[in-house]
Amino acid sequence: MSDLPATMRKMTSEVKSNGTLEVRLSEVPMPKPGPGHVLVKVEAAPVNPSDLALLLSMADVSGAEVSGTDDLPVVTMPMPSFAMPMMKGRMDQAMPVGNEGAGTVVAAGDKDGEAMIGRRVAAAGGEMFSEYHVVPVALCMPLPDSASARDGASSFVNPMTSLAMTEVMKREKSKGLIHTAAASNLGQMLQRICAADGIPLVNIVRKPEQQAILKDLGATHTLNSQDDDFMQQLVAACVETDATIAFDAVGGGNLAGQIVTAMEMAQAGKMTEYSRYGSDTQKHVYVYGRLDLSPTVIPPGAGMAWGVGGFLLPHFLASAGAETRMRMAGRVLSELTTTFASHYSDEITLAEALKPDVMAQYNARRTGEKFLITMN
Ligand SMILES: NC(=O)c1ccc[n+]([C@@H]2O[C@H](COP(=O)([O-])OP(=O)(O)OC[C@H]3O[C@@H](n4cnc5c(N)ncnc54)[C@H](OP(=O)(O)O)[C@@H]3O)[C@@H](O)[C@H]2O)c1
């Protein structure tokens, strides 16, 4: 620890009771790892939608005002008044940001961690938009020697979630999967997994160029939700794949309801006897993202054997058991630069991440525009 600087910079996000959101870089004392922990010098961390939910929440980035210094900027943005009652749990608390990243272990709290000093690791630490972060040894994933911090920065959130989707599919005995916002970074990983594992996958996107991305990855079913005959195409894809599980990142609007209805129509088509209640095959849409914040609409016509619920990776991992978690993590590591490769459109520094025009860009969450924060 002696040759480390006495302080480091760390990003926080705070909703203030005056109706603003303040994102700042602060200089704080260098943290010390305790027993069972190591200190990681963070080298790269991606800006994922899950980070934005905390970092920017629902703040109006177009109204951002910058103060502070070049090295320690402070950005203040107005929050919409309707959102403030939902912020009670985080009001007037400077919350650290950065769900995942990669870096090098530079200090350890005890003998267990000492063996890791000098190793490049990936970690899901919750404070990775910092120059250094203390992480439990058990939550550090040593990266292969050949892997750069850029290769390893996104090795947890999207890889483990896309793999978890196939685990849920098997657990619930669906023969295929449906996925929305499917040209996302995560969606491209899921397409590669399903192609390798022979899992029938129905990709739903909203633009022709997104269909092209997935077709280039070998997708057979890639539907555009904006097509006039989208619903007919969706039912046909459900008949062909027999999928009864969907993962929906959009969340709001009609899409989840259209998927439940299409799965029901495909299952009802196989019935040999009429039932006023529809098919008794269970169908489930897991809403795992909220790219559309409007209410989720489920129309009549979905039958009576369906469910729509939330899905969160940590909840899945807690229920999955150690053997499944280890198997998933092992696959991510061995296919880090192939199946689970992330592509970044922009590399920015911690301070650049607080420039309002840059914030507006990464907050748009557009296909192929993922930002990587690099600390050096
Ligand atoms: N629940 C969990 O545990 C968990 C874990 C990991 C990730 N996630 C979720 O997974 C999703 C994908 O993450 P990512 O990092 O792969 O995202 P990403 O690469 O940033 O891609 C986002 C995608 O969403 C599309 N999109 C944005 N708004 C949309 C809307 N209203 N309707 C339809 N499509 C829309 C974008 O398409 P355009 O270019 O057309 O805008 C883009 O293709 C996110 O929602 C994230 O929150 C959830």
Side-chain angles (χ1 to χ4, degrees):
M1 291 286 301
S2 55
D3 47 356
L4 291 172
T7 60
M8 63 143 202
R9 291 180 306 156
K10 163 179 173 168
M11 195 185 294
T12 55
S13 168
E14 178 172 355
V15 173
K16 299 196 166 236
S17 38
N18 67 4
T20 61
L21 179 126
E22 185 186 276
V23 179
R24 63 160 62 230
L25 276 185
S26 305
E27 192 161 10
V28 298
M30 182 64 69
K32 287 191 174 55
H37 289 70
V38 289
L39 180 68
V40 175
K41 183 176 195 299
V42 182
E43 291 164 298
V47 182
N48 284 323
S50 53
D51 298 309
L52 295 171
L54 182 74
L55 181 73
L56 299 180
S57 183
M58 297 178 197
D60 176 8
V61 180
S62 68
E65 285 177 18
V66 183
S67 57
T69 63
D70 285 353
D71 259 9
L72 299 173
V74 180
V75 187
T76 308
M77 292 157 271
M79 284 287 290
S81 53
F82 73 83
M84 291 305 283
M86 294 179 253
M87 301 293 144
K88 272 193 181 142
R90 59 171 293 186
M91 196 74 81
D92 297 319
Q93 298 169 56
M95 307 197 82
V97 206
N99 276 334
E100 65 177 339
T104 301
V105 175
V106 292
D110 58 17
K111 283 240 171 318
D112 283 353
E114 267 168 28
M116 295 183 77
I117 291 180
R119 282 299 303 260
R120 179 165 280 146
V121 296
E127 290 190 33
M128 299 304 276
F129 294 178
S130 307
E131 289 173 325
Y132 294 81
H133 182 43
V134 169
V135 185
V137 173
L139 295 186
C140 283
M141 192 155 77
L143 292 168
D145 289 341
S146 57
S148 65
R150 187 184 166 100
D151 293 333
S154 297
S155 49
F156 185 75
V157 177
N158 284 343
M160 293 294 267
T161 305
S162 50
L163 274 177
M165 291 175 180
T166 64
E167 295 288 329
V168 172
M169 182 204 82
K170 288 173 208 155
R171 192 164 74 186
E172 300 195 11
K173 302 195 182 351
S174 172
K175 297 197 177 88
L177 272 176
I178 300 173
H179 187 225
T180 72
S184 65
N185 182 262
L186 187 156
Q188 294 182 41
M189 290 178 190
L190 184 64
Q191 173 54 47
R192 290 190 285 259
I193 295 169
C194 289
D197 295 2
I199 296 171
L201 172 66
V202 181
N203 294 294
I204 300 176
V205 294
R206 60 177 178 177
K207 291 172 190 154
E209 56 269 33
Q210 296 166 347
Q211 289 178 289
I213 291 173
L214 290 159
K215 279 184 189 154
D216 282 351
L217 295 176
T220 36
H221 301 281
T222 305
L223 316 184
N224 184 340
S225 59
Q226 304 307 304
D227 283 354
D228 291 341
D229 62 347
F230 168 63
M231 206 44 205
Q232 288 99 301
Q233 291 184 45
L234 185 55
V235 175
C238 289
V239 170
E240 211 171 307
T241 58
D242 213 9
T244 52
I245 296 275
F247 282 87
D248 178 23
V250 177
N254 295 322
L255 194 52
Q258 287 177 305
I259 294 169
V260 177
T261 307
M263 291 193 293
E264 166 62 14
M265 287 169 78
Q267 295 304 318
K270 295 197 290 187
M271 291 166 70
T272 49
E273 249 177 64
Y274 173 77
S275 163
R276 77 194 80 173
Y277 304 116
S279 154
D280 59 6
T281 304
Q282 278 295 330
K283 295 145 299 263
H284 205 109
V285 176
Y286 289 96
V287 175
Y288 81 101
R290 268 282 166 193
L291 294 164
D292 179 335
L293 293 173
S294 67
T296 310
V297 180
I298 309 296
M304 297 303 280
W306 56 270
V308 175
F311 175 90
L312 196 66
L313 178 64
H315 297 173
F316 169 81
L317 292 177
S319 69
E323 185 274 325
T324 304
R325 287 195 296 271
M326 296 290 287
R327 176 168 46 75
M328 290 166 65
R331 181 166 179 185
V332 173
L333 278 183
S334 62
E335 299 173 30
L336 196 60
T337 55
T338 52
T339 312
F340 302 105
S342 286
H343 299 285
Y344 304 104
S345 56
D346 296 79
E347 272 193 31
I348 51 175
T349 63
L350 274 174
E352 282 166 348
L354 269 63
K355 289 186 171 166
D357 56 329
V358 176
M359 283 178 150
Q361 265 181 287
Y362 59 65
N363 197 33
R365 299 155 218 226
R366 281 185 285 261
T367 306
E369 290 189 18
K370 189 159 290 287
F371 283 60
L372 184 71
I373 299 180
T374 50
M375 309 304 160
N376 301 317

